[in-house]
Coordinates of all heavy atoms in Angstrom, one line a residue:
T57 N 75.9 117.7 100.9 CA 76.2 116.3 100.7 C 77.7 116.0 100.3 O 78.1 114.9 100.4 CB 75.2 115.7 99.7 OG1 75.3 114.2 99.7 CG2 75.5 116.1 98.3
N58 N 78.4 117.0 99.9 CA 79.8 116.9 99.7 C 80.4 118.3 99.7 O 79.7 119.3 99.6 CB 80.1 116.1 98.4 CG 79.6 116.8 97.1 OD1 79.8 118.0 96.9 ND2 78.8 116.0 96.4
G59 N 81.7 118.3 99.7 CA 82.5 119.6 99.8 C 82.3 120.4 98.5 O 82.2 121.6 98.5
H60 N 82.4 119.7 97.4 CA 82.3 120.4 96.1 C 81.0 121.2 96.0 O 81.1 122.4 95.6 CB 82.5 119.4 94.9 CG 82.3 120.1 93.6 ND1 83.3 120.9 93.1 CD2 81.3 120.3 92.8 CE1 82.9 121.5 92.0 NE2 81.6 121.1 91.9
L61 N 79.9 120.5 96.2 CA 78.6 121.3 96.1 C 78.5 122.4 97.2 O 77.8 123.4 96.9 CB 77.5 120.3 96.1 CG 77.3 119.5 94.8 CD1 76.3 118.4 95.0 CD2 77.0 120.3 93.6
A62 N 79.2 122.2 98.3 CA 79.2 123.3 99.3 C 79.9 124.5 98.7 O 79.3 125.6 98.8 CB 79.9 122.8 100.6
L63 N 81.0 124.3 98.1 CA 81.8 125.4 97.5 C 81.0 126.0 96.3 O 80.9 127.2 96.2 CB 83.2 124.9 97.1 CG 84.1 126.0 96.6 CD1 84.4 127.0 97.7 CD2 85.5 125.3 96.2
F83 N 97.2 125.0 92.4 CA 97.8 123.9 93.2 C 96.7 123.4 94.1 O 96.7 123.7 95.3 CB 99.0 124.3 93.9 CG 99.9 123.2 94.5 CD1 100.5 122.3 93.7 CD2 100.0 123.1 95.9 CE1 101.3 121.3 94.2 CE2 100.7 122.0 96.4 CZ 101.4 121.1 95.6
T84 N 95.7 122.7 93.6 CA 94.5 122.3 94.3 C 93.9 121.1 93.6 O 94.3 120.7 92.5 CB 93.6 123.5 94.5 OG1 92.5 123.1 95.4 CG2 93.0 124.0 93.2
F85 N 92.8 120.6 94.2 CA 92.0 119.6 93.6 C 91.1 120.2 92.6 O 90.7 121.4 92.7 CB 91.2 118.9 94.8 CG 90.5 117.7 94.3 CD1 91.1 116.6 93.7 CD2 89.1 117.6 94.6 CE1 90.4 115.5 93.3 CE2 88.4 116.4 94.3 CZ 89.0 115.4 93.6
A86 N 90.7 119.4 91.6 CA 89.9 119.9 90.5 C 88.7 120.7 91.0 O 88.3 121.7 90.3 CB 89.4 118.7 89.7
S87 N 88.2 120.3 92.1 CA 86.9 120.9 92.6 C 87.0 122.4 92.7 O 86.0 123.1 92.4 CB 86.7 120.3 94.0 OG 85.7 120.9 94.7
T88 N 88.1 123.0 93.2 CA 88.1 124.4 93.5 C 87.9 125.2 92.2 O 87.1 126.1 92.1 CB 89.5 124.8 94.0 OG1 90.0 123.8 94.9 CG2 89.5 126.1 94.7
V130 N 93.2 128.4 98.9 CA 93.1 127.0 99.4 C 94.1 126.8 100.6 O 95.2 127.1 100.4 CB 93.4 126.0 98.3 CG1 93.2 124.6 98.7 CG2 92.6 126.3 97.0
H131 N 93.6 126.3 101.7 CA 94.5 125.9 102.8 C 95.1 124.6 102.5 O 94.7 123.5 103.0 CB 93.7 125.8 104.1 CG 93.0 127.1 104.6 ND1 93.7 128.3 104.6 CD2 91.8 127.3 105.0 CE1 92.9 129.2 105.1 NE2 91.7 128.7 105.3
V132 N 96.2 124.6 101.7 CA 96.8 123.3 101.2 C 97.4 122.4 102.3 O 98.2 122.9 103.1 CB 97.8 123.7 100.1 CG1 98.5 122.4 99.6 CG2 97.2 124.5 99.0
D156 N 88.6 127.6 100.4 CA 88.5 126.2 100.2 C 89.4 125.7 101.4 O 90.6 125.6 101.3 CB 89.1 125.7 98.9 CG 89.0 124.2 98.7 OD1 89.0 123.5 99.7 OD2 89.0 123.7 97.6
A157 N 88.6 125.3 102.5 CA 89.3 124.8 103.7 C 89.1 123.3 103.8 O 89.2 122.7 104.9 CB 88.7 125.5 104.9
A158 N 88.9 122.6 102.6 CA 88.7 121.2 102.6 C 89.8 120.4 103.4 O 89.4 119.4 104.0 CB 88.7 120.7 101.1
H159 N 91.0 120.9 103.4 CA 92.1 120.2 104.1 C 92.2 120.6 105.5 O 93.1 120.1 106.2 CB 93.4 120.5 103.4 CG 93.6 119.8 102.1 ND1 94.8 119.8 101.4 CD2 92.7 119.1 101.3 CE1 94.6 119.2 100.2 NE2 93.4 118.8 100.2
M178 N 84.8 126.5 103.3 CA 84.2 125.3 102.9 C 85.1 124.1 103.5 O 86.3 124.1 103.3 CB 84.1 125.1 101.4 CG 83.6 123.8 100.9 SD 84.9 122.5 100.9 CE 85.7 122.9 99.4
F179 N 84.4 123.2 104.2 CA 85.1 121.9 104.6 C 84.6 120.8 103.8 O 83.4 120.7 103.4 CB 84.9 121.6 106.0 CG 85.5 122.6 107.0 CD1 84.8 123.5 107.8 CD2 86.9 122.7 107.0 CE1 85.4 124.4 108.6 CE2 87.5 123.6 107.9 CZ 86.7 124.5 108.7
S180 N 85.5 119.8 103.5 CA 85.0 118.5 102.9 C 85.1 117.5 104.0 O 86.1 117.4 104.7 CB 86.0 118.2 101.8 OG 85.8 116.8 101.4
F181 N 84.0 116.7 104.0 CA 84.0 115.5 104.9 C 84.0 114.2 104.1 O 83.3 113.2 104.5 CB 82.7 115.6 105.8 CG 82.6 116.9 106.6 CD1 81.3 117.4 106.8 CD2 83.6 117.6 107.1 CE1 81.1 118.6 107.5 CE2 83.5 118.8 107.8 CZ 82.2 119.3 108.0
H182 N 84.7 114.2 103.0 CA 84.9 113.1 102.2 C 85.6 111.9 102.9 O 86.4 112.2 103.8 CB 85.6 113.4 100.9 CG 85.7 112.3 99.9 ND1 86.9 111.6 99.7 CD2 84.8 111.8 99.1 CE1 86.6 110.6 98.8 NE2 85.4 110.7 98.4
A183 N 85.3 110.7 102.6 CA 85.9 109.5 103.2 C 87.4 109.6 103.4 O 88.0 109.0 104.3 CB 85.5 108.3 102.4
T184 N 88.1 110.3 102.5 CA 89.6 110.4 102.5 C 90.1 111.5 103.4 O 91.3 111.7 103.5 CB 90.1 110.7 101.1 OG1 89.5 111.8 100.5 CG2 89.9 109.5 100.2
K185 N 89.2 112.3 104.0 CA 89.7 113.5 104.7 C 89.8 113.1 106.2 O 89.4 112.1 106.7 CB 88.7 114.6 104.6 CG 88.4 115.1 103.1 CD 89.6 115.6 102.4 CE 89.4 116.6 101.3 NZ 89.2 116.0 100.0
E191 N 80.5 110.8 102.5 CA 80.6 112.0 101.6 C 80.0 113.1 102.4 O 79.1 112.8 103.2 CB 79.8 111.8 100.3 CG 80.3 110.8 99.3 CD 81.2 111.3 98.2 OE1 81.5 112.5 98.3 OE2 81.5 110.5 97.3
G192 N 80.5 114.3 102.3 CA 79.9 115.4 103.0 C 80.7 116.6 103.0 O 81.9 116.6 102.5
G193 N 80.1 117.7 103.4 CA 80.8 119.0 103.4 C 80.0 120.0 104.1 O 78.8 119.8 104.5
Y283 N 97.8 115.4 105.8 CA 98.7 114.9 104.7 C 100.1 114.9 105.2 O 100.5 115.7 106.0 CB 98.5 115.7 103.4 CG 97.1 115.7 103.0 CD1 96.2 116.7 103.4 CD2 96.6 114.7 102.1 CE1 94.9 116.7 102.9 CE2 95.3 114.7 101.7 CZ 94.4 115.7 102.1 OH 93.1 115.7 101.7
R310 N 100.7 109.5 96.7 CA 99.8 110.3 95.8 C 100.6 111.5 95.2 O 101.2 112.2 96.0 CB 98.6 110.7 96.5 CG 97.5 111.2 95.6 CD 96.2 111.3 96.4 NE 95.2 111.9 95.5 CZ 94.1 112.5 96.0 NH1 93.8 112.5 97.3 NH2 93.2 113.1 95.2
Y312 N 100.1 114.7 94.5 CA 99.0 115.6 95.0 C 99.6 116.9 95.4 O 100.3 117.0 96.4 CB 98.4 114.9 96.2 CG 97.1 115.3 96.7 CD1 95.9 115.2 95.9 CD2 96.9 115.8 98.0 CE1 94.7 115.6 96.4 CE2 95.7 116.2 98.5 CZ 94.6 116.0 97.7 OH 93.4 116.4 98.2
F313 N 99.5 117.9 94.5 CA 98.5 118.0 93.4 C 99.3 118.0 92.1 O 100.1 118.8 91.9 CB 97.7 119.3 93.5 CG 96.9 119.4 94.7 CD1 97.2 120.2 95.8 CD2 95.7 118.7 94.8 CE1 96.4 120.3 96.9 CE2 94.9 118.8 95.9 CZ 95.3 119.6 97.0
Ligands
PLP1 C1 88.3 117.0 98.8 C2 88.5 118.4 98.3 C3 87.4 119.1 97.7 C4 86.1 118.5 97.4 O1 85.5 117.9 98.4 P1 84.5 116.7 98.2 O2 83.8 116.5 99.6 O3 85.3 115.5 97.8 O4 83.4 117.1 97.2 C5 87.7 120.4 97.3 N1 88.9 121.0 97.5 C6 89.9 120.4 98.0 C7 91.2 121.1 98.1 C8 89.8 119.0 98.4 O5 90.9 118.4 98.8

Side-chain angles (χ1 to χ4, degrees):
T57 194
N58 60 53
H60 175 77
L61 286 173
L63 186 59
F83 193 66
T84 185
F85 187 53
S87 171
T88 321
V130 184
H131 298 310
V132 180
D156 179 334
H159 289 188
M178 173 279 282
F179 291 116
S180 163
F181 307 144
H182 184 255
T184 54
K185 304 297 207 270
E191 291 265 6
Y283 300 91
R310 193 169 173 199
Y312 195 62
F313 297 105

